[in-house]
Amino acid sequence: MVQGIITNIQRFSMHDGPGVRTTVFFKGCPLRCIWCHNPETYQFGMELRYKSSDCIGCGSCIAACSNSALSAGPDGPVHHAASCKKCGSCVQACPSGAMAFSGKRVSVDQVLAEALADRGMYDRTGGGVTLSGGEASAQYEFALALLDALRQKGIHTALDTCGQCEPKQFETLVGMADMVLYDLKHMSAETHKALTGVDNRLILKNFYTLAGLGVPVEVRVPVIPGYNDDDINLAATARAVREQGHIQRVILLGYHALGLSKIIAFDQHGRNLGITSPSGVRLRSLAEQFENISGVKTIYR
Amino acid sequence: MAMPTYAQRINILTQRKHEYTAEKQRVNGAMDYDDHALILPPEEKRKLVTAISGSGMLINDVVFNDTVIKPNHPNGSFYGPLGQGENFRNFLLSHPPFIDPMSALAGAYMVNFTAYRTDSNPDLNYDALKPNIEKYQLVPGLLGNQHLCQDLQILLDLGLDGLRRKISKYRAINDQTHYDYYDALTMVVEGIQGWIMNNALEALRMSGQEDDDEIRAHLVHLYDMNVKLVHEVPETFEEACQLMLWMQMACRMYNGSASLGRLDTLLKPYYDRESAAGTLSDEDAVFYIACMLLRDTSYVQLGGYDEDGNDTTSKVSYLVLEAVHALRLPSNVGVSVGTGIDRELLRRSVEYQFIDKTGNPRFVGVESLVNGLVKNGDVPIEVARMRTNAGCHWLAIPGREFSLMDCVKINFAVPFLIALREAVAKYGAPTTDQIIAIYRKHLKVCIDTLAMGFDFTYDNQIHNCPELPLSLMCHGTIEKGLDASNGGVEFYRWCIDGSAIAVVADSLAAIEKNIIKECRYTYKELLAFLDNDWAGEAGEKARLFFAGTDKYGKGGTAADEYAKILSNLFTLEVLATRTPKHGFKMLPGLFSWAYTLTMGNTLGATPNGRKAGTPISHGANPNPGFRQDGAATAMSCAIASVQPGCGNTAPMQIELEPTIGREDGGVEYLMALIEDHFAKGGTLINMNIIDADKVCAAHKDPSLYPDLIVRVTGFSAYFASLSPAFRQLVVDRILDREIS
């Protein structure tokens, strides 16, 4: 039975496709977007995470570790990653949940059971299940099996993807989904790499491939002030949308600081860049410009 | 000054309401109950007292300092039909008139008549019940009252003189054992008529001193209208509103009675006739209704089924919604939702939820309620369809049912804790099945005790505080000379509500995980932790382990399964039990009302990590922290899964962000959530659309937002009127949503 690693299943989602949806957040992502405030989704495997605000300082985690991977520090337990076997003894020993695993291994059936609980809502609102993350396509077999299982139950599916995926696998996954939510972060390969850790060549290849796959596509453009919201990039993105020719709608997603992870991960990948959210006025203006260039309905959040 | 426009008048009236409310807050202190539209008496007439409210809670209250009470008991109080009737008549006759020329309707009420009696009739002995009431911390609702719904159609058809003629007619038919009761009913009507007349005369007096022609004419009109209504049936929409308001205020003062029933259906004939004749505009109708709802926060149901299963939603239903929207005050309007019920009424209601953010309206799952009552309540479907939302979580068949719904409660956690200790003593390391088996035994004792209590109330309320005003508008009461509490009506389906289901479900799951499966602790250790209220480092550590167990509401957890087991068990036991003396059926619901705090105050620590003295879970809701995110549909599924399905409610109390309303399709999504919950078997939804930052700021300093209104535990109140502990309840629910 195919299994995958997810970080969370969120019900009553309203922003991850049409209608009310259940969003499955896959763990692991090939990108490292500097503005991402879900760093717990970066790594593909299970990760130990420590939340200092929940720690009661009992030391049970340190006492439970038989691999000497934890020691006492001035600000809480210190993790020695090289020694850590991820056995979970510290997690089991932690009363407050301050020490926990990010990610859990689940089967398709387990996800399906939870998704089916809201079937009535999907039927009433034209909703369904969205595979997101992290990057769902990076767990190809699991994503494919889940999409298939949902399809067999007659549940609408959306694949929320950054597009950094092997093309054949990408096509197969898209073919199994009812719609695609596609992120376009920057049109310059060099800048894209600087901002996300990878260039955009594969992403753009898959983006244009979508045009021939016959599935509805909604493009999402994160608007990160100072990083990708300049006129040149947005105009280039809008032109790409126009050229692709099969985009139903574009959503400009204004950066917001809400939900900035307060998790202090052991590898220090949680960061606050101090970015200011774009104002509603700014977003409205950008959306109007984008729509004028792309010819595609553009909204903002 | 010319008479202002309707909109201006509503602004003036609502501003005055805010002033009256501020005055009540100053004088009474915290008011952890419905915001009643009571206006305090003039200062020179006030006397501060401690009283028992119409819902059985100890409250600060104000009475008239010059009311002459005629006792009929050596203890100085008054009981029974004549004691109540005569004193209530005198009370009404001495009630100061109140006329606000800005209102279309005369009158306001100032004092709770119940506040003149501090205790129930001491001659009524329920000593035999006391040991179990105390042991299980039951809320027995002994001599509970007013949780029934009158049929105001009787009043509209007969008028006050008509009621007196009806009383006289049946007094002459029935034997003398009923004479006191009939005389008491007559006294009540006399009192109401006198009160109305006093107000009419006040309007006339004020007109003599009014310079403005329009206002003077209005005052004269109020005089004319009310003089007429003292004796005659109402003929116009406005008159119907006025008469119903008088009666509702009288019932409210008598013992806290709170329901207008199906206001839209009652007013529809007048509306149809006068709007066709061109003598009543929609604006007129909205204003009259608003003036009614301004003077009492009555429970109203809009739409629903008639006895043939047709939808009763009409234009008047929408006008009532408009009136509530225009006022933006605490109110208790319930909108029906179900197959065949006008969906646009639901849409408009949801839109107003987002626009007004006053926790109005509520949503009534009429289809599941009817089906449950038919299936398990032994009520014919034609009658079940007529049942009406009439209170915080309760319903009644207007004029035909007496159930004490919402008066009688079991805190499940009390028999559970007893059972836990007994199981450990008996088995050493019991399974959860063994604990539940013993729990069931204790639960049965609770139910049997409460059943005896119902018989006691049925036999004895007539000697204490009979339902005099409400019985005037019931079917069978005047005809038989029997009070609604004492055999006068057709249906007695006594209601027992279960509370703290989430506390017990989570506790069982926590025991299963931490003791049985993971062997992290022993039962002996658990009991020691509970005895010590989780004190100390070891206790806190243990508490966190137990509290960290997956909770009821998350979905697919052991706690979710236990919650269903507990609800099924409770339902089966209640349905299987009859009251011992009279053989009445009982029906279960799940609700804690304002007892969320008081039940928690007297409850020790529980295995779900809850500390002693802290609030229990609210109604059928999961405990806060039940799910990391995506809480709304998960909660909906969970609460739907524990519905007793017997025609009484187990409400979902839900708090949502205002931003949802601004989303593309947000209103439709909320409509879908409501409909889906009811389709799954849900019965009632109480909702707040509320901004977390605002409510947190108001919690720190209520004066910042004096007009912030919330639906608390089924009732609607000003946030600033609540005690800090009650405000915290609301804040905790909202913060839990934010974490989600």
Side-chain angles (χ1 to χ4, degrees):
Chain A
M1 166 67 59
V2 177
Q3 290 191 323
I5 299 181
I6 64 171
T7 55
N8 190 29
I9 297 177
Q10 178 172 296
R11 291 160 72 175
F12 201 60
S13 299
M14 290 180 291
H15 298 143
D16 296 325
V20 169
R21 308 187 75 79
T22 294
T23 304
V24 184
F25 291 93
F26 281 54
K27 196 165 190 309
C29 186
L31 270 56
R32 290 291 181 269
C33 304
I34 61 168
W35 56 80
C36 179
H37 36 60
N38 292 308
E40 70 276 12
T41 62
Y42 285 175
Q43 300 294 338
F44 284 92
M46 307 277 285
E47 268 181 292
L48 201 61
R49 69 127 174 97
Y50 170 72
K51 199 168 175 188
S52 61
S53 57
D54 288 346
C55 182
I56 63 169
C58 66
S60 299
C61 53
I62 299 168
C65 182
S66 57
N67 299 303
S68 304
L70 289 169
S71 60
D75 298 316
V78 177
H79 183 232
H80 309 287
S83 305
C84 182
K85 303 278 190 288
K86 294 187 185 170
C87 65
S89 297
C90 56
V91 173
Q92 262 291 97
C94 178
S96 65
M99 195 70 72
F101 276 121
S102 171
K104 57 182 174 179
R105 195 172 290 280
V106 293
S107 68
V108 168
D109 284 347
Q110 284 173 308
V111 176
L112 195 62
E114 184 146 7
L116 285 173
D118 287 345
R119 173 160 218 153
M121 288 296 292
Y122 311 149
D123 291 343
R124 288 173 199 281
T125 64
V129 176
T130 298
L131 277 59
S132 183
E135 173 56 42
S137 67
Q139 294 186 56
Y140 172 71
E141 283 84 11
F142 180 60
L144 189 66
L146 183 56
L147 286 171
D148 185 39
L150 290 164
R151 170 174 281 197
Q152 287 187 42
K153 292 291 183 188
I155 294 178
H156 183 276
T157 55
L159 178 66
D160 183 6
T161 177
C162 67
Q164 181 71 11
C165 177
E166 194 277 322
K168 274 212 169 68
Q169 289 187 348
F170 182 74
E171 280 190 48
T172 306
L173 283 174
V174 170
M176 195 64 80
D178 293 303
M179 79 177 292
V180 172
L181 312 175
Y182 205 88
D183 294 346
L184 289 178
K185 304 180 204 296
H186 206 286
M187 297 307 290
S188 155
E190 190 183 336
T191 309
H192 195 283
K193 182 156 184 172
L195 296 180
T196 72
V198 302
D199 67 41
N200 61 3
R201 284 172 297 169
L202 180 57
I203 291 169
L204 289 177
K205 178 179 161 58
N206 283 330
F207 174 63
Y208 287 110
T209 300
L210 276 174
L213 296 180
V215 69
V217 180
E218 181 175 282
V219 163
R220 279 139 183 253
V221 180
V223 176
I224 315 298
Y227 289 90
N228 75 343
D229 68 332
D230 56 280
D231 290 344
I232 294 172
N233 180 56
L234 285 176
T237 310
R239 283 193 298 273
V241 166
R242 176 185 278 279
E243 281 165 26
Q244 203 265 18
H246 288 84
I247 306 300
Q248 286 195 309
R249 187 172 78 155
V250 174
I251 303 180
L252 302 188
L253 297 172
Y255 175 84
H256 61 80
L258 291 174
L260 255 183
S261 175
K262 294 181 175 61
I263 298 167
I264 301 173
F266 287 110
D267 63 359
Q268 303 297 311
H269 57 218
R271 286 183 283 166
N272 181 354
L273 298 173
I275 299 171
T276 307
S277 303
S279 69
V281 171
R282 168 88 172 130
L283 284 170
R284 185 163 55 243
S285 169
L286 291 176
E288 282 168 9
Q289 292 171 40
F290 200 102
E291 186 166 322
N292 285 339
I293 298 171
S294 67
V296 174
K297 170 87 180 145
T298 303
I299 65 172
Y300 65 91
R301 281 193 198 125
Chain B
M1 183 186 81
M3 179 67 92
T5 64
Y6 283 154
Q8 289 169 335
R9 288 163 77 177
I10 284 181
N11 278 344
I12 293 168
L13 290 166
T14 54
Q15 186 50 45
R16 287 175 183 165
K17 156 103 185 187
H18 292 146
E19 291 162 12
Y20 302 142
T21 302
E23 177 74 351
K24 282 190 288 187
Q25 288 165 356
R26 188 183 68 75
V27 171
N28 287 339
M31 295 176 279
D32 289 334
Y33 43 83
D34 288 67
D35 171 75
H36 301 153
L38 179 151
I39 296 172
L40 288 176
E43 269 199 70
E44 64 277 9
K45 273 189 73 92
R46 292 178 196 170
K47 178 180 165 188
L48 296 176
V49 296
T50 305
I52 305 289
S53 75
S55 296
M57 303 287 273
L58 196 64
I59 59 171
N60 295 326
D61 212 343
V62 171
V63 297
F64 300 129
N65 57 14
D66 57 357
T67 302
V68 175
I69 292 294
K70 202 167 154 190
N72 64 355
H73 191 281
N75 72 356
S77 193
F78 52 98
Y79 307 105
L82 289 177
Q84 299 296 337
E86 189 174 356
N87 282 298
F88 190 56
R89 179 187 57 192
N90 296 344
F91 164 82
L92 286 172
L93 293 176
S94 69
H95 190 296
F98 184 92
I99 302 290
D100 187 332
M102 292 298 105
S103 176
L105 306 177
Y109 68 96
M110 296 181 180
V111 162
N112 295 310
F113 180 62
T114 45
Y116 290 97
R117 271 186 308 110
T118 55
D119 212 345
S120 300
N121 189 336
D123 298 339
L124 304 173
N125 187 312
Y126 61 94
D127 288 348
L129 303 179
K130 282 180 182 171
N132 279 335
I133 290 171
E134 199 174 309
K135 177 179 177 182
Y136 295 106
Q137 297 176 32
L138 299 173
V139 178
L142 295 172
L143 304 175
N145 55 26
Q146 55 96 345
H147 284 73
L148 69 153
C149 182
Q150 74 278 32
D151 185 352
L152 280 160
Q153 192 62 54
I154 295 175
L155 174 70
L156 296 174
D157 288 343
L158 296 179
L160 292 167
D161 268 2
L163 283 173
R164 290 179 71 163
R165 285 192 293 273
K166 184 178 177 183
I167 294 166
S168 297
K169 172 185 170 184
Y170 285 98
R171 189 182 192 282
I173 292 172
N174 284 301
D175 67 62
Q176 64 186 19
T177 59
H178 301 277
Y179 287 176
D180 283 354
Y181 186 67
Y182 283 122
D183 293 345
L185 289 176
T186 301
M187 290 174 189
V188 169
V189 181
E190 283 173 355
I192 294 171
Q193 289 176 308
W195 180 41
I196 297 173
M197 183 57 81
N198 286 343
N199 278 272
L201 291 171
E202 175 66 9
L204 187 65
R205 185 194 68 76
M206 287 172 68
S207 74
Q209 297 175 339
E210 178 56 54
D211 294 329
D212 181 84
D213 290 343
E214 276 188 73
I215 295 176
R216 183 170 58 250
H218 174 59
L219 288 166
V220 171
H221 168 69
L222 284 179
Y223 166 77
D224 288 336
M225 176 169 66
N226 284 287
V227 165
K228 174 185 174 182
L229 291 175
V230 171
H231 300 291
E232 297 174 43
V233 296
E235 292 176 298
T236 67
F237 190 99
E238 187 188 16
E239 288 170 2
C241 288
Q242 177 74 85
L243 186 60
M244 286 196 287
L245 178 61
W246 284 123
M247 183 56 86
Q248 172 51 30
M249 289 194 292
C251 293
R252 173 75 82 178
M253 284 196 286
Y254 180 77
N255 63 1
S257 167
S259 177
L260 285 169
R262 300 215 193 172
L263 185 61
D264 51 354
T265 304
L266 292 164
L267 288 174
K268 185 175 183 298
Y270 303 96
Y271 175 80
D272 288 345
R273 189 168 58 242
E274 289 167 61
S275 60
T279 55
L280 179 79
S281 69
D282 286 355
E283 291 71 27
D284 293 332
V286 169
F287 186 64
Y288 298 149
I289 295 167
C291 290
M292 270 187 92
L293 299 179
L294 178 75
R295 291 290 176 238
D296 191 68
T297 53
S298 316
Y299 287 81
V300 168
Q301 179 176 309
L302 300 180
Y305 298 116
D306 67 13
E307 54 187 7
D308 298 320
N310 300 313
D311 179 23
T312 61
T313 307
S314 68
K315 181 65 185 285
V316 181
S317 315
Y318 289 88
L319 297 177
V320 174
L321 273 186
E322 285 296 318
V324 171
H325 168 61
L327 288 171
R328 297 196 192 198
L329 294 175
S331 86
N332 296 298
V333 170
V335 168
S336 301
V337 181
T339 305
I341 305 292
D342 183 358
R343 201 165 181 266
E344 286 312 301
L345 187 69
L346 172 61
R347 181 189 306 284
R348 198 74 190 119
S349 305
V350 170
E351 288 168 351
Y352 279 150
Q353 269 275 357
F354 282 113
I355 295 168
D356 296 336
K357 300 186 192 61
T358 56
N360 284 306
R362 330 159 57 207
F363 303 95
V364 187
V366 289
E367 195 172 359
S368 49
L369 286 165
V370 168
N371 292 341
L373 189 63
V374 168
K375 185 178 166 196
N376 288 307
D378 294 333
V379 173
I381 191 166
E382 302 79 24
V383 178
R385 288 176 179 141
M386 303 306 293
R387 217 171 194 219
T388 293
N389 175 227
C392 285
H393 90 309
W394 57 274
L395 312 103
I397 305 163
R400 300 172 71 178
E401 182 180 12
F402 188 87
S403 71
L404 286 187
M405 214 182 288
D406 201 14
C407 293
V408 177
K409 299 188 191 307
I410 300 174
N411 179 352
F412 290 156
V414 176
F416 168 71
L417 286 177
I418 294 171
L420 173 64
R421 289 176 194 277
E422 204 171 296
V424 173
K426 184 174 179 181
Y427 298 107
T431 63
T432 52
D433 282 348
Q434 286 167 334
I435 297 171
I436 289 170
I438 297 176
Y439 164 76
R440 185 171 190 163
K441 189 187 73 177
H442 288 283
L443 185 68
K444 181 83 174 82
V445 174
C446 295
I447 293 167
D448 286 343
T449 304
L450 295 173
M452 287 189 272
F454 289 131
D455 279 339
F456 174 84
T457 297
Y458 181 83
D459 288 338
N460 289 296
Q461 184 67 290
I462 186 65
H463 306 299
N464 182 56
C465 181
E467 300 285 353
L468 295 178
L470 288 173
S471 290
L472 289 168
M473 293 167 287
C474 286
H475 301 272
T477 41
I478 297 177
E479 290 84 344
K480 290 185 267 188
L482 293 174
D483 194 61
S485 69
N486 183 233
V489 297
E490 188 180 348
F491 296 103
Y492 292 88
R493 302 282 186 271
W494 306 95
C495 173
I496 303 179
D497 285 321
S499 307
I501 191 170
V503 171
V504 179
D506 291 350
S507 291
L508 285 164
I511 288 170
E512 181 183 285
K513 178 174 190 279
N514 292 284
I515 296 179
I516 297 173
K517 285 190 170 164
E518 294 181 3
C519 302
R520 200 186 288 275
Y521 294 100
T522 65
Y523 276 106
K524 187 177 170 188
E525 286 170 322
L526 171 63
L527 294 184
F529 289 136
L530 296 180
D531 288 340
N532 290 317
D533 196 18
W534 307 103
E537 207 175 295
E540 176 59 14
K541 191 173 165 185
R543 192 189 72 76
L544 288 169
F545 273 122
F546 280 85
T549 309
D550 285 343
K551 294 174 175 44
Y552 154 65
K554 184 179 180 187
T557 68
D560 286 298
E561 291 309 305
Y562 284 123
K564 284 186 259 186
I565 289 169
L566 291 167
S567 177
N568 285 343
L569 207 133
F570 174 58
T571 299
L572 287 170
E573 288 294 346
V574 171
L575 288 178
T577 307
R578 294 290 182 272
T579 67
K581 183 176 177 187
H582 297 292
F584 290 124
K585 195 176 172 79
M586 299 183 291
L587 296 176
L590 294 173
F591 193 55
S592 49
W593 186 62
Y595 292 104
T596 310
L597 284 181
T598 50
M599 281 183 173
N601 283 346
T602 54
L603 183 68
T606 43
N608 66 324
R610 185 192 139 275
K611 288 205 163 191
T614 56
I616 60 167
S617 51
H618 172 61
N621 271 40
N623 276 309
F626 68 95
R627 197 181 156 96
Q628 186 186 352
D629 47 33
T633 49
M635 191 193 307
S636 171
C637 288
I639 294 173
S641 76
V642 298
Q643 296 289 322
C646 296
N648 291 353
T649 75
M652 175 166 74
Q653 173 73 48
I654 189 163
E655 271 64 45
L656 295 167
E657 289 178 22
T659 51
I660 294 176
R662 295 195 284 273
E663 295 289 341
D664 217 7
V667 168
E668 281 284 348
Y669 295 163
L670 190 48
M671 290 171 66
L673 180 70
I674 293 165
E675 289 172 314
D676 192 60
H677 181 65
F678 292 145
K680 287 180 161 75
T683 44
L684 184 69
I685 299 175
N686 292 314
M687 182 182 293
N688 282 307
I689 305 288
I690 196 158
D691 181 83
D693 291 340
K694 186 174 186 179
V695 82
C696 288
H699 186 38
K700 287 196 179 105
D701 181 1
S703 67
L704 287 177
Y705 297 103
D707 52 353
L708 175 62
I709 296 164
V710 293
R711 191 153 298 279
V712 185
T713 68
F715 62 90
S716 177
Y718 287 102
F719 191 72
S721 292
L722 301 173
S723 64
F726 247 92
R727 297 203 302 264
Q728 188 67 54
L729 271 186
V730 178
V731 168
D732 285 346
R733 292 200 307 249
I734 290 162
L735 288 184
D736 190 47
R737 175 199 80 193
E738 293 301 299
I739 291 165
S740 301

